[in-house]
Amino acid sequence: MPCYCDSQKEFALCCEPFLNGSKKPSSPEELMRSRYSAFVLGESGYLLETTTPENRHDEDEKLIKEFAQSVTWLGLSVLKAEKDKVEFKAYYKDNSGVQLLHEKSNFIQEDGMWLYKDGTLFNSKIERNEPCPCKSGKKYKKCCGLNEKSIY
């Protein structure tokens, strides 16, 4: 089965070892990809344990599970991976249609383990001529973007 993080690797050879605890991510990009897979699978425990302690909150587990159950994740695109930062776009579908989460995440390493610290969200939109995140092979404007009000 292909990995949820769109790495072009098999899940068993990509994010699964991180999620089941048999291996630790060796870079911020590996951690970010495994966190995306955890969102897809609703693995709130993994998401909490890979977040810096000061950014964990009592209500997080419940909120993560509710969000994960309310959306369908469509794909991940890593735009740039640097020393301790990863910029990505994650696509999902909710009751309002296809959504885009564009973030530049910051990571730190504590006791030999990479952790998600925080991130900067960008106000981005899915461009009309980019491939549709639903993986239909069509352009967004000819697929999931058909019902959007055009501002062009």
Side-chain angles (χ1 to χ4, degrees):
M1 173 179 85
C3 194
Y4 301 102
C5 77
D6 291 332
S7 65
Q8 309 307 311
K9 298 177 186 174
E10 288 295 310
F11 178 61
L13 301 173
C14 191
C15 291
E16 186 177 38
F18 305 132
L19 297 177
N20 69 24
S22 64
K23 189 175 174 186
K24 290 182 182 179
S26 63
S27 69
E29 183 177 352
E30 281 186 343
L31 176 59
M32 191 278 307
R33 286 182 176 280
S34 67
R35 286 175 56 86
Y36 174 83
S37 291
F39 270 108
V40 172
L41 297 169
E43 296 286 342
S44 56
Y46 181 79
L47 291 163
L48 290 175
E49 84 179 36
T50 58
T51 300
T52 56
E54 65 271 11
N55 289 324
R56 296 178 196 160
H57 307 286
D58 292 338
E59 68 278 0
D60 285 351
E61 188 164 7
K62 180 182 177 208
L63 292 172
I64 291 167
K65 283 184 180 184
E66 285 175 3
F67 180 66
Q69 292 172 352
S70 71
V71 303
T72 302
W73 291 95
L74 301 173
L76 176 70
S77 177
V78 175
L79 305 176
K80 191 173 188 179
E82 300 172 325
K83 180 182 167 190
D84 58 355
K85 298 179 186 330
V86 178
E87 184 177 351
F88 67 91
K89 290 182 177 180
Y91 301 89
Y92 62 92
K93 193 170 191 173
D94 64 11
N95 291 336
S96 302
V98 177
Q99 307 296 325
L100 167 63
L101 171 69
H102 181 183
E103 180 176 312
K104 188 171 195 175
S105 299
N106 299 303
F107 300 87
I108 61 170
Q109 199 170 29
E110 290 183 358
D111 299 325
M113 186 170 167
W114 283 104
L115 299 172
Y116 172 80
K117 182 179 178 189
D118 57 25
T120 302
L121 290 173
F122 296 96
N123 187 14
S124 298
K125 63 180 184 147
I126 304 168
E127 297 297 325
R128 294 169 30 93
N129 288 318
E130 71 180 89
C132 194
C134 77
K135 299 182 177 117
S136 67
K138 298 178 184 178
K139 289 183 179 182
Y140 179 68
K141 68 182 178 186
K142 297 282 186 181
C143 192
C144 293
L146 258 176
N147 296 325
E148 282 190 354
K149 288 184 180 179
S150 179
I151 58 170
Y152 302 98

